[in-house]
Amino acid sequence: MTGITDFGELRRAMAENSEEPEGPARNARAEQLLAEAEKLDVPLAVIEALGHQLKVYNYSSEKDKMFVPFARLLRMWDERPEDFDEYEVHSLHWVFKWVSSGMLGQPHIPLASIEKWLGEMEHRYRLAGHSERAVRSAEFSVASHVGDLARAERAYAAWLAADRDTMADCHACELHTQGEWQVQRERDADALELWKPVLEGEFTCAHEPHTVLASSLAPLLRLGRAEEARAHHLRGFRLVRPMESMRGAYADHVEFCALSGNEARGLELLAERPAYFTDSGNPRSGLDFLSVVTLLMDRLTELGLGDQEVPGPAGRTWTARELAVHARAEALSLAARFDGRNGTTHIGDGARARMDQRPLVERLPLGVRSAARPVAAPMPVPEVVPEKDLSALLAEARRLSDTLQPHAVEAWLAVARAAEGAELSAHDRAEIADHQAMDRGPEGIALFERAAELFAEAGDPGEALAARARGAYVRALTGEIDEALAAIDAPYDGVLALYAEDRTGVRQTAAVLMSRARILMRRVHGESPDDTPGPGALAAAEAAVREVLALVEGHTGDDVRLAARGAEGQAMLAELAVRAGDLETAAGLFSKASAAFVAAGLPWFAVEYEARLAGLAHHLGDITEAERALRAALEHGGPYLEAPGRAQLHLQLAEVLGGRGRSEEAAEHALEAAHWSDEAGEGPTLGAWARHQLGGFLLRQGRWAEAAEVLESALPDLSAETHGDGAIVQTQWWLGDCLSELGEHRAAAERRLQAAEIARHWPEQNDHATLAHLAAESLGHADLPAEADRAYERAGDLWRTLGNVHGLVRSLRARAWLALRADRGLDRARELMAGAIEECEAALLVTDDQEARQRLTGELGHTHRQFGELLARSVAEEAEDTAIQAAFEDALAETAESVTVFAALGEGAVHTRTAAELAAGWLEADLSRSADAAARARGVLKAYEGADDGDETVRSRRAEAEQLLQLMEEQTDK
């Protein structure tokens, strides 16, 4: 490495190192720079290098190293204060606060030494004329750390009462510490109120709102404000993730995962930071981290996952149970060192309380990509139930199946287990076999035959035929339609004969008729989905369905089974109407079927039909009905909806609501869809699409950080094969927008360029052009002018090919501004701006459409205006007067031309015209043309005579015009 030869070079090197990521590499570079500074024989160079070293140590995992450079700085100050400039004097006193708080986090430093430093700080601050505010804040930190509540309250009050001066921490940091005290005193709501200005962005700094967002998580959960906690986690973790020094805040996010049912995400967070298990430079944050590791591992063990492999200290593999024991022991050992130093049990008590917390939310969906919640294997169900319980089990199973309740089949399986070796009637054995057959699907066909034999043996021929009919329907489900139709003939004829002879009931007859109708419906569905089924198949199915409806009509009463047959029949007719292309009739029948199931006390059966109705309503353009049906489906499904179906319904409702502009509610349903997709094991497919949608809805609300976190989480699972390359492009596009809003311009450019590369291969190139243009903007903001110019040039070529003059002109203007900053300078900038004007003028010559001419004229006006601004800014303040005057003359000519162009647009362009008028007026003022400038100001005031004072633009223009006019009149009077 080439040595540093002068002070300026050292300062540049320190500035560059300050921009590097926190960590040992940055610290090592600071140590090298100190060595280089010592070679320069410039005392201030050494002072600044020591200050730089102290700063990077403080914001790293090696916080314990900062005491040595501070002691050296203090000694240099005491020996030769004249070597310090004003800034370094301020910095020396400022870092007293870092040192005092840093000592608290090092248990090997005696409490007496800390108190001595506190006194030293107070003495030196008083000598320097500083307020007591920072001193009392430091005293409060000492008192609250050791648990001296009375002293802490006194110091807290004195801190707030003292005047703010240049030594006080920034507002954001002060509010964070004040809020933490409220939390410690179990006043969560007060803490959140104190933190509000930080959370809302009123006060920020390099480490806020990072720590406030992290500190707010547990209080929000305790107050039942789970949605806010989720938002703070997504927003805050994004800020904390790249900052090595923020282990304590990182621990808050792990704790949040353990308290909110997000144990799997907690493990992911631990895996991202293996060094946090062993970094020893800041023992206090190490205690925080190990405490929440213990909390998380205990939670996993409680869930039955103690033997699961988990991330832990390097060098070996860990199970959750082993890491729980290790982390608790390490945490309590650290706590004991602090308490031994402090002479209290405060730190240990707090650590134990933190480790022993109970979950505050059973499961809080986060929306980001995550494994399903870890769940232990279920306890085995006893194979044998005492015989004395068999009668009760039979009664319960019959009740559930007679009323078509969920889990009826499981109840019959419990009966079957209990009945092994028991003496049962033929009818009991028939019912058991019948329900076992239902559970086995295609493998149960033979068992249906056995059930039929047992029903016949029990003297119930109607149920025997119903069992055979059910077996025939199962054949149809396997695709054996013809065999099923052949198998249903005999039960069908037989049950009608029995019913006519009054030897069986409506229920048994309806069961056979419904099985036949279902088989015929399967034949309809078995036709190619692209073809309309043959009229014979449709007619046969419809006749069979209507036969069922005719049988049960008037017989349902309190018989839930018969009511269900009627409802299912209506749904079948709806399916047939869909096949026939009569969608409006189908929608009405699905609605009728759903209502019938709900009226029968079987809302869970209505879910499928409400979902079908929603799809039809959407197709028919009845979005209100689609929304109603989807909400009804979710409501009717209740706890019985399985995860895949629940995910689908939430996602469909999210899309409907999003289409209606209700992005906030749409985001809630997209969040639920992502959660249930993960639970269903469909995270990479349906879950990725849900996260894609959720990110878009969050973006619409301006929740940039949350949206970015969700979209970044969706991208790894989105694939062109499953989701389409359009989804990937849109996700990258949205993500670029979010990153741009967050000031992460280089990353935004990368995302936009990646999206543009995919869109480059599409037949329609407008998206490609737009993304290239947006990427250029991001590259410009990222201070990469050469790369930005190339991207704008690419976008301009695309805009030209597409015939989009506006896009082309804007790319040329942007390139002109870049050229002014680059080595090519003003000549290239002029050339590009002139080219933009030529493109506008050429387009106006060939455009007859009046609306297009209006837009092009406006674009021309803006181009002249920007050309004027560019020329005015092209000359340096220290340039010769003749150069400045020439540049301003040229700028005035372009600006005046923009006024003329805007004036041609009439009243619709009054604001843009007056803005240009004022710009021209100020240029004329700079050129000492007071009368012309005053005339411009009066023209603006005249343009707004009688205008609405409530319009902010009107007020602003008037105020600026009056200011210009007054200034010109004063100059004239002189």
Side-chain angles (χ1 to χ4, degrees):
M1 182 183 70
T2 305
I4 288 173
T5 58
D6 62 63
F7 198 179
E9 189 179 352
L10 175 70
R11 282 176 163 165
R12 285 191 294 274
M14 289 190 295
E16 290 172 4
N17 195 46
S18 293
E19 297 302 314
E20 292 298 311
E22 296 177 349
R26 186 170 75 157
N27 295 353
R29 176 61 174 153
E31 291 162 5
Q32 293 171 349
L33 292 174
L34 175 60
E36 295 290 336
E38 289 169 335
K39 298 174 186 176
L40 297 178
D41 196 27
V42 177
L44 185 58
V46 175
I47 290 167
E48 290 189 11
L50 284 168
H52 174 65
Q53 189 181 77
L54 199 157
K55 178 181 178 181
V56 299
Y57 284 155
N58 185 61
Y59 294 120
S60 78
S61 61
E62 298 178 312
K63 208 176 183 78
D64 54 334
K65 289 186 175 182
M66 70 177 178
F67 304 112
V68 172
F70 178 72
R72 183 177 173 188
L73 270 174
L74 197 59
R75 185 172 64 252
M76 292 176 72
W77 165 252
D78 288 339
E79 292 173 354
R80 290 181 57 85
E82 64 273 15
D83 290 340
F84 289 68
D85 63 15
E86 183 179 355
Y87 178 82
E88 292 304 325
V89 172
H90 178 274
S91 296
L92 176 69
H93 286 82
W94 181 269
V95 296
F96 253 107
K97 300 180 296 183
W98 294 356
V99 172
S100 62
S101 62
M103 286 180 172
L104 287 173
Q106 306 291 332
H108 68 279
I109 298 179
L111 190 60
S113 297
I114 295 172
E115 293 284 6
K116 178 183 176 183
W117 271 103
L118 182 61
E120 182 77 7
M121 176 182 176
E122 182 171 9
H123 172 68
R124 290 178 180 266
Y125 272 41
R126 187 180 298 115
L127 286 177
H130 295 306
S131 163
E132 282 196 343
R133 192 175 181 92
V135 177
R136 298 286 75 84
S137 173
E139 181 188 6
F140 163 77
S141 297
V142 173
S144 61
H145 172 81
V146 302
D148 186 342
L149 301 184
R151 183 187 181 192
E153 290 284 13
R154 290 194 302 272
Y156 185 88
W159 166 24
L160 268 61
D163 292 335
R164 283 189 59 82
D165 67 352
T166 56
M167 283 297 117
D169 283 340
C170 76
H171 281 290
C173 289
E174 283 202 334
L175 289 172
H176 176 232
T177 305
Q178 292 163 20
E180 282 193 315
W181 176 240
Q182 302 306 317
V183 171
Q184 188 175 337
R185 305 298 289 148
E186 300 183 353
R187 297 189 286 256
D188 289 338
D190 292 343
L192 289 163
E193 189 63 29
L194 276 168
W195 289 332
K196 193 173 180 181
V198 182
L199 295 170
E200 293 180 350
E202 183 180 347
F203 301 127
T204 61
C205 70
H207 288 77
E208 294 297 352
H210 314 42
T211 56
V212 162
L213 285 164
S215 296
S216 72
L217 297 171
L220 284 168
L221 289 178
R222 285 193 292 267
L223 291 170
R225 293 159 62 176
E227 291 75 15
E228 291 176 69
R230 173 179 56 237
H232 287 198
H233 169 63
L234 294 179
R235 180 182 161 204
F237 185 67
R238 183 175 190 81
L239 295 172
V240 167
R241 181 192 279 128
M243 304 185 77
E244 186 211 36
S245 66
M246 303 196 76
R247 179 165 57 176
Y250 200 97
D252 290 338
H253 286 278
V254 176
E255 176 185 51
F256 164 80
C257 293
L259 297 177
S260 63
N262 285 287
E263 297 86 1
R265 180 165 172 83
L267 292 176
E268 293 170 6
L269 266 58
L270 295 186
E272 284 190 35
R273 285 292 192 194
Y276 277 174
F277 286 97
T278 52
D279 283 345
S280 58
N282 185 2
R284 186 65 185 89
S285 71
L287 172 57
D288 291 334
F289 184 75
L290 290 168
S291 296
V292 300
V293 169
T294 305
L295 172 68
L296 179 59
M297 295 306 122
D298 281 350
R299 180 64 183 146
L300 290 170
T301 304
E302 183 181 334
L303 289 170
L305 294 158
D307 295 326
Q308 177 174 321
E309 188 173 322
V310 296
R316 56 161 288 186
T317 59
W318 296 88
T319 66
R321 184 178 291 105
E322 291 167 342
L323 185 56
V325 173
H326 169 80
R328 183 178 288 271
E330 290 291 307
L332 291 177
S333 174
L334 268 175
R337 290 174 60 198
F338 279 109
D339 285 343
R341 187 269 304 275
N342 298 340
T344 67
T345 64
H346 182 67
I347 299 297
D349 292 344
R352 278 182 283 272
R354 192 171 197 184
M355 290 187 283
D356 296 339
Q357 291 177 96
R358 302 298 305 152
L360 297 168
V361 179
E362 182 179 350
R363 181 69 193 274
L364 178 62
L366 301 177
V368 291
R369 183 172 180 249
S370 180
R373 183 181 187 179
V375 178
M379 295 294 290
V381 178
E383 290 297 322
V384 179
V385 179
E387 188 173 342
K388 64 183 180 184
D389 292 337
L390 183 54
S391 61
L393 288 173
L394 267 168
E396 177 64 8
R398 284 175 180 142
R399 183 189 70 80
L400 291 175
S401 57
D402 283 347
T403 55
L404 298 176
Q405 299 296 305
H407 310 309
V409 171
E410 290 85 345
W412 280 105
L413 294 177
V415 169
R417 288 192 296 269
E420 291 181 9
E423 290 292 330
L424 291 173
S425 69
H427 201 282
D428 290 343
R429 285 183 285 128
E431 287 183 279
I432 292 171
D434 198 25
H435 286 90
Q436 284 180 315
M438 294 178 197
D439 182 57
R440 294 183 185 181
E443 297 176 3
I445 293 174
L447 203 51
F448 276 123
E449 288 297 320
R450 176 57 183 157
E453 292 170 2
L454 288 168
F455 278 125
E457 180 184 332
D460 193 341
E463 281 294 350
L465 293 172
R468 287 196 171 94
R470 285 188 280 274
Y473 175 54
V474 172
R475 282 187 183 279
L477 291 176
T478 65
E480 299 178 3
I481 304 294
D482 292 339
E483 293 84 350
L485 285 169
I488 197 66
D489 283 344
Y492 174 69
D493 293 338
V495 82
L496 288 178
L498 287 174
Y499 185 65
E501 297 168 6
D502 205 20
R503 292 172 57 200
T504 194
V506 175
R507 178 184 283 196
Q508 292 78 10
T509 307
V512 176
L513 267 58
M514 180 56 80
S515 291
R516 180 171 176 269
R518 288 170 175 170
I519 293 168
L520 289 166
M521 289 294 294
R522 291 298 300 179
R523 184 171 68 170
V524 170
H525 289 301
E527 301 281 346
S528 169
D530 296 326
D531 299 324
T532 302
L538 286 170
E542 182 176 350
V545 173
R546 293 196 182 281
E547 189 176 18
V548 174
L549 291 172
L551 175 68
V552 301
E553 186 177 0
H555 291 282
T556 54
D558 294 330
D559 192 319
V560 173
R561 279 180 175 270
L562 292 180
R565 300 293 185 210
E568 186 179 353
Q570 298 294 339
M572 287 176 166
L573 291 178
E575 294 282 2
L576 292 170
V578 171
R579 281 282 174 169
D582 188 353
L583 302 187
E584 291 185 358
T585 296
L589 288 166
F590 276 130
S591 181
K592 192 173 181 180
S594 174
F597 275 121
V598 173
L602 304 170
W604 46 88
F605 284 111
V607 172
E608 177 185 352
Y609 306 117
E610 292 285 8
R612 291 296 308 279
L613 176 56
L616 287 175
H618 199 280
H619 183 78
L620 292 167
D622 190 348
I623 306 303
T624 300
E625 175 62 9
E627 179 185 338
R628 184 214 61 78
L630 289 167
R631 291 187 188 280
L634 284 165
E635 180 185 349
H636 295 332
Y640 306 114
L641 258 180
E642 294 188 358
R646 193 178 293 274
Q648 287 279 7
L649 289 171
H650 276 297
L651 185 54
Q652 290 173 43
L653 184 52
E655 291 172 344
V656 167
L657 291 167
R660 306 188 77 181
R662 289 150 63 183
S663 57
E664 189 169 340
E665 191 177 1
E668 294 173 7
H669 287 283
L671 175 67
E672 290 293 328
H675 164 67
W676 289 109
S677 298
D678 291 340
E679 291 294 306
E682 297 183 15
T685 51
L686 186 63
W689 182 254
R691 277 181 266 281
H692 160 82
Q693 295 279 23
L694 174 59
F697 295 137
L698 291 170
L699 177 143
R700 288 188 206 175
Q701 298 171 60
R703 295 160 67 177
W704 314 113
E706 295 169 64
E709 197 73 11
V710 170
L711 292 167
E712 286 175 344
S713 175
L715 270 173
D717 290 326
L718 288 172
S719 69
E721 297 75 19
T722 302
H723 306 96
D725 56 6
I728 299 172
V729 168
Q730 184 64 80
T731 302
Q732 297 275 27
W733 193 328
W734 281 338
L735 183 52
D737 291 347
C738 292
L739 295 170
S740 179
E741 292 288 344
L742 293 168
E744 300 176 35
H745 298 298
R746 187 185 291 261
E750 289 174 3
R751 296 300 186 181
R752 287 167 166 173
L753 288 170
Q754 288 166 2
E757 182 58 27
I758 298 173
R760 183 169 68 88
H761 303 286
W762 292 354
E764 207 288 318
Q765 289 288 285
N766 192 69
D767 285 342
H768 181 200
T770 304
L771 284 162
H773 199 114
L774 290 170
E777 287 181 6
S778 294
L779 290 165
H781 288 306
D783 201 23
L784 296 168
E787 292 86 345
D789 184 68
R790 286 195 294 271
Y792 275 124
E793 186 175 18
R794 172 185 175 186
D797 291 342
L798 289 165
W799 291 131
R800 188 186 299 278
T801 302
L802 289 165
N804 188 322
V805 179
H806 299 277
L808 172 59
V809 166
R810 289 168 189 176
S811 67
L812 289 168
R813 291 199 308 242
R815 293 180 65 197
W817 284 105
L818 288 169
L820 188 65
R821 293 162 50 190
D823 294 337
R824 288 172 290 178
L826 181 58
D827 289 343
R828 179 59 175 158
R830 280 177 174 271
E831 179 184 336
L832 288 163
M833 271 299 180
I837 289 172
E838 289 171 7
E839 294 291 346
C840 286
E841 291 175 340
L844 280 166
L845 289 174
V846 298
T847 302
D848 294 327
D849 181 83
Q850 190 57 36
E851 184 178 345
R853 289 188 64 81
Q854 288 282 105
R855 291 185 61 222
L856 283 168
T857 301
E859 200 73 74
L860 177 61
H862 287 296
T863 306
H864 280 295
R865 170 75 194 278
Q866 285 200 32
F867 201 172
E869 290 179 14
L870 181 144
L871 293 167
R873 295 185 191 180
S874 67
V875 61
E877 289 184 9
E878 62 273 14
E880 294 181 2
D881 290 346
T882 54
I884 293 174
Q885 181 167 352
F888 280 14
E889 290 282 6
D890 290 347
L892 177 59
E894 292 293 338
T895 308
E897 184 62 27
S898 75
V899 173
T900 302
V901 173
F902 286 134
L905 292 174
E907 287 302 310
V910 63
H911 291 331
T912 50
R913 178 177 66 79
T914 54
E917 286 271 20
L918 288 168
W922 288 113
L923 285 167
E924 286 166 334
D926 289 331
L927 291 166
S928 300
R929 298 173 186 171
S930 303
D932 292 339
R936 298 271 186 193
R938 292 189 188 98
V940 170
L941 292 172
K942 183 174 179 56
Y944 289 117
E945 284 180 357
D948 180 12
D949 286 334
D951 186 316
E952 184 178 346
T953 303
V954 171
R955 293 198 306 273
S956 173
R957 293 282 193 277
R958 280 176 173 164
E960 187 178 352
E962 287 167 355
Q963 179 188 8
L964 177 59
L965 183 59
Q966 180 181 356
L967 184 62
M968 295 303 97
E969 288 174 346
E970 289 174 356
Q971 289 183 1
T972 302
D973 290 342
K974 291 178 182 178

